[in-house]
């Protein structure tokens, strides 16, 4: 599935993509350098969807060259989802952005007639144009949905995820439902509040099971646990080195446990791509038993993927 993301210079494209598809938080990405010409990056959103973004710089001269024969075919063909990014904090560039959007839509309609079209108004924390006005300005262009986002306000991930989740096929959804049945059993066995299978690259869940009314499963859908899960990738090299020096035995299972208030967060490495994440209330579990259960759910996940 090709997701094409475009917009004028400095509209907030790169920041948004890094936030949602790389699980980066505002503090890490608020000072990015501008993108040079077309940067193509491929992601596996939630471990499910192949998403390729074409971040097209956005300098005026670059924008012009997209519309040459040579480039337009390459950029606008086979697009399933087209997202135009508009800077809601900049009144001066609004006209220009609308003009370029109209041009792009012509290309999309030519080269990818079935594409679903979305507009995202970024930087709504410092907006100068209201969403209502943007919607009025862009009415009648065949845009499915126009939404506003703000990364510092923490509302961007949910908006973009909702758009991408809306493009998941029935087959994928029923596969997830099957995996969630396994997770429900696991969750009961270990007496956890919630268990999630996390796609490590964006920190988003592939599937989840929530067994308590205390937690809204809808919220878990849009949280990136990247920062918690990431250490699982780096502990093995450290332990390997220590083991070489003869200090420790290398553990077979890669399990991490966080103690947060009265809760325990259990992290378990499934493979390069996925990790298991559960939230447990108080210490009512044995580590060895926990590892055993984690191992069996690991096999289910690997089967699901295989
Ligand atoms: N206040 C605010 N600034 C943002 C937001 N998203 C991006 N920016 C800033 O907008 C500028 C341009 O962002 P960038 O992603 O490089 O734009 P691009 O050229 O479209 O890729 C950067 O200084 C970002 O920090 C947001 O949600 N709120
Ligand atoms: Mg950029």
């Amino acid at each position: 599935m090709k997701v094409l993301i475009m917009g004028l210079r400095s509209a907030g494209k790169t920041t948004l993509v890094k936030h949602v598809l790389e699980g980066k938080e505002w503090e890490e990405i608020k000072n990015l350098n501008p993108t040079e010409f077309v940067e193509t990056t491929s992601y596996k959103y939630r471990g499910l969807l192949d998403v390729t973004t074409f971040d097209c710089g956005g300098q005026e001269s670059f924008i012009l060259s997209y519309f040459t024969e040579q480039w337009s075919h390459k950029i606008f063909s086979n697009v399933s989802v087209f997202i135009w990014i508009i800077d809601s904090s900049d009144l001066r560039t609004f006209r220009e952005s609308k003009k370029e959007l109209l041009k792009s839509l012509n290309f999309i309609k030519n080269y990818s007639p079935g594409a679903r079209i979305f507009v995202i108004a970024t930087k709504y924390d410092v907006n100068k144009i209201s969403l209502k006005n943007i919607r009025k300005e862009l009415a009648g262009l065949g845009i499915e949905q126009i939404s506003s986002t703000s990364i510092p306000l923490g509302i961007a991930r949910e908006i973009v995820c909702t758009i991408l989740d809306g493009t998941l096929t029935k087959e994928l959804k029923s596969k997830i439902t099957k995996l969630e049945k396994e997770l429900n059993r696991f969750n009961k066995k270990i007496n956890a509040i919630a268990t999630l299978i996390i796609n490590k690259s964006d920190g988003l869940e592939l599937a989840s099971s929530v067994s308590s009314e205390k937690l809204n499963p809808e919220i878990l859908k849009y949280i990136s646990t990247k920062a918690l899960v990431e250490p699982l990738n780096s502990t093995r090299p450290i332990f390997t080195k220590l083991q070489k020096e003869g200090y420790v035995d290398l553990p077979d299972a890669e399990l991490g446990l966080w103690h947060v208030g009265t809760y325990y967060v259990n992290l378990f490495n499934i493979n390069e791509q996925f990790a298991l994440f559960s939230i447990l209330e108080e210490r009512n579990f044995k580590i060895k038993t926990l590892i055993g259960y984690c191992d069996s759910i690991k096999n289910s996940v690997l089967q699901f993927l295989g």
Side-chain angles (χ1 to χ4, degrees):
M1 194 181 97
K2 180 166 154 187
V3 177
L4 176 59
I5 297 180
M6 285 184 88
L8 293 188
R9 80 205 80 84
S10 190
K13 302 178 292 293
T14 306
T15 318
L16 192 63
V17 166
K18 288 203 183 288
H19 179 57
V20 180
L21 298 165
E22 294 181 23
K24 299 258 165 67
E25 298 307 330
W26 179 240
E27 285 305 315
E28 306 169 67
I29 48 176
K30 62 182 183 188
N31 295 314
L32 288 176
N33 289 326
T35 310
E36 300 283 335
F37 206 49
V38 183
E39 198 174 81
T40 306
T41 321
S42 292
Y43 298 95
K44 197 118 185 147
Y45 169 73
R46 290 196 193 277
L48 292 169
L49 279 185
D50 290 305
V51 177
T52 306
T53 64
F54 286 67
D55 182 300
C56 306
Q59 308 286 334
E60 214 163 318
S61 59
F62 293 163
I63 287 258
L64 282 176
S65 56
Y66 300 145
F67 301 121
T68 62
E69 272 297 307
Q70 182 206 354
W71 275 102
S72 55
H73 180 72
K74 215 176 153 185
I75 293 172
F76 293 99
S77 294
N78 302 315
V79 174
S80 322
V81 178
F82 177 73
I83 304 178
W84 184 261
I85 306 288
I86 209 161
D87 184 347
S88 76
S89 74
D90 196 349
L91 275 172
R92 291 170 307 125
T93 54
F94 187 83
R95 291 279 133 220
E96 192 189 345
S97 180
K98 184 177 170 181
K99 204 175 84 193
E100 298 304 329
L101 168 62
L102 291 174
K103 271 197 238 165
S104 307
L105 287 179
N106 277 332
F107 280 98
I108 281 290
K109 278 163 194 168
N110 259 326
Y111 288 108
S112 299
R116 298 173 68 176
I117 298 160
F118 298 88
V119 167
I120 292 178
T122 55
K123 315 185 198 178
Y124 214 68
D125 49 295
V126 284
N127 82 299
K128 294 266 164 49
I129 318 165
S130 71
L131 187 57
K132 202 176 153 197
N133 276 339
I134 296 173
R135 284 181 174 153
K136 213 159 80 188
E137 283 282 343
L138 305 181
L141 298 178
I143 299 161
E144 192 172 326
Q145 187 188 309
I146 303 176
S147 354
S148 58
T149 62
S150 159
I151 302 172
L153 290 182
I155 57 169
R157 198 172 265 127
E158 179 165 350
I159 300 281
V160 180
C161 286
T162 306
I163 292 175
L164 295 177
D165 289 342
T167 67
L168 290 177
T169 60
K170 268 199 187 123
E171 286 80 6
L172 273 177
K173 281 185 189 157
S174 74
K175 259 180 110 178
I176 295 169
T177 310
K178 270 192 197 146
L179 185 59
E180 286 184 337
K181 279 193 186 136
E182 300 264 346
L183 285 181
N184 285 338
R185 276 196 285 276
F186 173 84
N187 219 30
K188 282 216 183 83
K189 269 194 225 158
I190 68 164
N191 214 354
I193 292 175
T195 297
L196 286 73
I197 304 295
I198 302 292
N199 181 42
K200 287 184 191 171
S201 57
D202 53 23
L204 296 167
E205 66 161 65
L206 160 75
S208 63
S209 163
V210 181
S211 62
S212 162
E213 295 85 45
K214 284 183 199 167
L215 219 54
N216 178 356
E218 283 306 304
I219 292 170
L220 290 176
K221 269 200 154 78
Y222 311 116
I223 280 179
S224 173
T225 55
K226 173 120 177 173
L228 280 174
V229 168
E230 208 154 47
L232 285 174
N233 292 335
S234 45
T235 45
R236 184 152 285 256
I238 298 169
F239 274 90
T240 307
K241 204 161 186 183
L242 287 173
Q243 194 190 30
K244 267 194 196 139
E245 303 294 328
Y247 289 123
V248 286
D249 276 336
L250 185 64
D252 288 333
E254 284 162 276
L255 180 131
L257 215 50
W258 284 75
H259 191 191
V260 190
T262 56
Y263 297 99
Y264 282 88
V265 174
N266 164 39
L267 298 165
F268 185 81
N269 209 18
I270 291 176
N271 61 10
E272 287 283 299
Q273 206 189 343
F274 294 105
L276 182 133
F277 176 104
S278 347
I279 305 170
L280 299 135
E281 213 164 10
E282 70 203 57
R283 177 118 195 218
N284 57 358
F285 52 89
K286 284 212 169 73
I287 302 277
K288 265 222 166 111
T289 322
L290 192 59
I291 290 177
Y293 285 143
C294 286
D295 262 330
S296 66
I297 200 79
K298 172 178 173 169
N299 291 329
S300 306
V301 175
L302 294 179
Q303 263 174 20
F304 168 89
L305 300 167

